[in-house]
Amino acid sequence: MLYSASTVAANGARPGAVDTGVPPVLDLLGIGFGPSNLALAVALREMLPRQAPFRFGFIEKKPGFVWHGNMLLDNSRMQISFLKDLVTMRNPASRYTFINYLHERERLLDFINTRTFYPSRYEFNDYLSWVAADFADTCHYGEEVVAVEPETAGANRGNGGNGALACLRVTSRAADGALTVRRARNVVVSVGGAPSIPDTFVPLRGHARVFHSSNYLESLERLGQSGPVRRVAVIGSGQSAAEIFLDLHGREGNIEVDLVSRAPALKPADDSPFVNEIFNPRYIDYLFSRAPNEREQLLSEFGNTNYAVVDTDLIEAIYEVLYQQKVTGKVRHRLLAGYEARHAEADADGVRLDIARRDDGAHQLQRYDAVILATGYRRELHQSLLAPLAAYLDDAKGFQADRDYRLQMAPGCQAGVFLQGCCEATHGLSDTLLSVLAVRAQEIAAAVLGNGESQGLANVRAAAPEPARSRPSRMAHAGTH
Ligand SMILES: Cc1cc2nc3c(=O)[nH]c(=O)nc-3n(C[C@H](O)[C@H](O)[C@H](O)COP(=O)(O)OP(=O)(O)OC[C@H]3O[C@@H](n4cnc5c(N)ncnc54)[C@H](O)[C@@H]3O)c2cc1C
Ligand SMILES: NC(=O)c1ccc[n+]([C@@H]2O[C@H](COP(=O)([O-])OP(=O)(O)OC[C@H]3O[C@@H](n4cnc5c(N)ncnc54)[C@H](OP(=O)(O)O)[C@@H]3O)[C@@H](O)[C@H]2O)c1
């Protein structure tokens, strides 16, 4: 299950190795196998020489690869150019480009004829799955990582006995509850976001009629099996809320939808070209170099590129739906802008919401068959996973990563911990997106290849290409399989 230039068995041991009962130490173990770690897998494969004795693998809790599968809605499109795929910005000559995917699927000319930079999310998911299929032997699917713990050199054989933190123990749990422990010198945590649930709905967590946008398709289908879904409230006014509103509108059954937004209007995402430069890799250097208060101010200034904003064409589509209601006099949907749900109760038959207008507090009681929380994501999962390492983290920095995405560890620690997708405060708004995946993967790979005294790493280092953005196309020749 683990990729290496030399073959390893499912438990990571080399063929013929005596089973000591202690799992071998991997050079790198990635937690989560979404686009971030997939880009890293590709970078490692392309940057490592073919026979490099560098063993890496990934652990993914889902049973197979899918990219935000519960939001793969008909007509939903990418919010980023296909050229910001897993590799192009690092190595446009890679075989894992979106363009080569189109070529292999025999759709390149047809795609060109669509004259778009923004494929459907369905197609981009197919592209990512096509890449992931080539790395199936690197990923353990269907296991959720539950802890990352220190293994000190003095505490375990094979680490030299100097008491330093040389290796990390990663414990994962399979669907049947079975626990597996793996050991690695470097761990890359790329676990994405967790649903952000408003306080009003916390007591209803897990209720079949109240669910987050990240579970939208599955939960709606399950609910539909127990009876018709006629009235729905969608909470939030970001891209997820807008897409779900239009998806519900387009479904059979004349579903009535209330879109409940704290903001007084649906606001457009700023994707204009000068502003879009904040998603360039070079901008990370700039933001990272600023003082914390300055970074905060910049993130807030450009928040409307990403958070609580909607693509303009979707805003126009929603406006058109509401306008046609006025023309026909048949009112199915409402946009409750400037409102918030202050109280919620649910039973087997429905959900009752107390919805208040934010300016004057005027409120209304409404009953729905379902409430969908399109209320965004939190990015703190890494903190609980890495909690057992707290004593080894640099006191001043805690979970704040360095420019190369590595957590600063106490002096003497040889093990490396890297973060992807939870460094927005220091690395900028591109951190949670696809924008810099390819370049970030290269930066992390270069940092890992220079980290610690991994077995045979000297060879790898000698053969590793220069880090960062200087000569991207050389990567292709450095070890592409
Ligand atoms: C609906 C939707 C559409 C989006 N569209 C775009 C877009 O068009 N353009 C763009 O730039 N960004 C988009 N984004 C932002 C999104 O964050 C990125 O596209 C991308 O998914 C980030 O990749 P990632 O690998 O960091 O995180 P994720 O894609 O979230 O992947 C994290 C993976 O880790 C796994 N995982 C989590 N916890 C564990 C654990 N404990 N053990 C094992 N595995 C675990 C998860 O199952 C998941 O597969 C979108 C987000 C959403 C929600
Ligand atoms: N097709 C696509 O490519 C696609 C589709 C969906 C999502 N995405 C991406 O996914 C990311 C997340 O988007 P998202 O729409 O899921 O989340 P989001 O942009 O963070 O929006 C969350 C919404 O929920 C509201 N909200 C949060 N807490 C609330 C509370 N306690 N009570 C009431 N409302 C609350 C916010 O309102 P306030 O402003 O009042 O806090 C905001 O309107 C973005 O990067 C987005 O671009 C992309």
Side-chain angles (χ1 to χ4, degrees):
M1 295 286 284
L2 295 162
Y3 172 77
S4 158
S6 48
T7 316
V8 288
N11 65 356
R14 291 179 194 288
V18 178
D19 183 0
T20 59
V22 180
V25 180
L26 304 173
D27 293 294
L28 181 149
L29 188 55
I31 304 177
F33 205 47
S36 295
N37 269 345
L38 185 53
L40 180 60
V42 177
L44 286 168
R45 185 177 283 184
E46 293 187 349
M47 290 168 73
L48 287 164
R50 191 181 285 270
Q51 293 305 323
F54 183 91
R55 289 180 297 174
F56 64 92
F58 299 88
I59 304 174
E60 166 57 50
K61 69 177 177 182
K62 289 187 294 225
F65 186 89
V66 64
W67 178 55
H68 301 302
N70 278 309
M71 282 294 287
L72 285 179
L73 311 182
D74 291 347
N75 305 320
S76 69
R77 303 200 76 80
M78 294 299 293
Q79 292 191 296
I80 200 165
S81 164
F82 71 81
L83 291 171
K84 291 188 176 176
D85 60 18
L86 295 169
V87 287
T88 298
M89 287 201 301
R90 171 177 63 79
N91 173 17
S94 166
R95 72 162 300 254
Y96 297 106
T97 62
F98 184 76
I99 288 177
N100 190 43
Y101 152 80
L102 290 171
H103 171 69
E104 290 209 1
R105 287 280 201 258
E106 297 181 4
R107 283 204 307 272
L108 183 53
L109 277 170
D110 302 319
F111 182 82
I112 291 169
N113 286 338
T114 68
R115 295 191 298 176
T116 187
F117 277 95
Y118 306 96
S120 68
R121 291 198 54 250
Y122 184 88
E123 185 171 30
F124 205 74
N125 175 60
D126 192 55
Y127 155 68
L128 294 172
S129 306
W130 170 80
V131 179
D134 227 27
F135 288 83
D137 62 346
T138 72
C139 184
H140 300 266
Y141 286 104
E143 292 182 34
E144 177 172 8
V145 172
V146 290
V148 180
E149 292 162 307
E151 180 178 297
T152 50
N156 210 297
R157 53 195 130 156
N159 273 328
N162 61 3
L165 178 60
C167 160
L168 301 163
R169 295 172 70 83
V170 177
T171 307
S172 59
R173 187 170 46 218
D176 63 3
L179 295 179
T180 303
V181 176
R182 295 184 180 84
R183 303 161 74 215
R185 291 189 177 87
N186 295 286
V187 165
V188 184
V189 184
S190 314
V191 289
S196 172
I197 307 295
D199 291 347
T200 305
F201 296 97
V202 169
L204 299 177
R205 230 179 226 270
H207 196 286
R209 293 187 180 277
V210 179
F211 45 89
H212 187 260
S213 55
S214 55
N215 296 317
Y216 171 62
L217 286 177
E218 217 175 295
S219 298
L220 188 68
E221 193 187 329
R222 199 174 310 127
L223 188 57
Q225 285 163 3
S226 61
V229 177
R230 296 198 183 92
R231 272 205 95 205
V232 177
V234 178
I235 313 288
S237 51
Q239 184 71 14
S240 296
E243 290 190 4
I244 289 172
F245 175 89
L246 287 170
D247 184 72
L248 290 167
H249 171 72
R251 280 174 183 261
E252 285 179 5
N254 284 326
I255 300 171
E256 296 171 15
V257 187
D258 280 354
L259 185 54
V260 185
S261 156
R262 283 203 294 212
L266 294 187
K267 291 184 225 150
D270 186 340
D271 59 355
S272 56
F274 290 113
V275 167
N276 216 48
E277 290 186 351
I278 66 161
F279 297 106
N280 291 355
R282 186 178 294 177
Y283 191 78
I284 300 172
D285 294 328
Y286 173 71
L287 192 92
F288 192 83
S289 72
R290 310 319 295 168
N293 62 338
E294 228 180 305
R295 283 184 201 144
E296 224 172 279
Q297 193 246 319
L298 287 164
L299 288 170
S300 154
E301 184 166 339
F302 292 113
N304 69 341
T305 54
N306 189 40
Y307 292 116
V309 288
V310 180
D311 280 351
T312 303
D313 54 350
L314 255 67
I315 292 181
E316 287 168 357
I318 293 173
Y319 197 87
E320 175 69 14
V321 167
L322 298 179
Y323 178 72
Q324 287 305 327
Q325 292 190 159
K326 291 181 179 163
V327 175
T328 60
K330 291 181 195 151
V331 176
R332 253 174 76 190
H333 312 305
R334 296 188 300 170
L335 170 61
L336 299 177
Y339 284 78
E340 74 188 325
R342 297 228 168 124
H343 185 69
E345 284 173 13
D347 58 26
D349 295 330
V351 190
R352 284 165 301 284
L353 291 191
D354 185 347
I355 302 176
R357 201 156 56 199
R358 297 187 81 203
D359 54 5
D360 59 8
H363 65 112
Q364 47 181 288
L365 294 173
Q366 297 288 338
R367 186 208 157 277
Y368 299 100
D369 297 315
V371 174
I372 299 163
L373 306 173
T375 43
Y377 294 82
R378 297 156 70 97
R379 298 202 167 247
E380 299 151 0
L381 283 170
H382 62 293
Q383 296 189 10
S384 51
L385 284 180
L386 299 173
L389 297 179
Y392 293 90
L393 295 178
D394 181 89
D395 284 343
K397 293 200 162 175
F399 287 107
Q400 188 179 309
D402 285 346
R403 174 62 187 84
D404 63 1
Y405 303 94
R406 187 201 311 250
L407 285 184
Q408 183 112 143
M409 308 294 268
C413 284
Q414 292 148 19
V417 178
F418 295 80
L419 304 178
Q420 300 197 80
C422 46
C423 306
E424 186 180 84
T426 44
H427 291 62
L429 285 153
S430 55
D431 193 67
T432 67
L433 302 174
L434 304 173
S435 322
V436 294
L437 282 192
V439 173
R440 181 174 67 192
Q442 174 175 312
E443 290 169 347
I444 292 176
V448 169
L449 296 180
N451 182 50
E453 288 310 310
S454 296
Q455 181 192 11
L457 257 192
N459 308 338
V460 174
R461 262 193 242 119
E466 287 165 24
R469 294 160 293 279
S470 46
R471 298 169 70 181
S473 59
R474 260 188 58 191
M475 299 304 159
H477 311 298
T480 306
H481 285 200

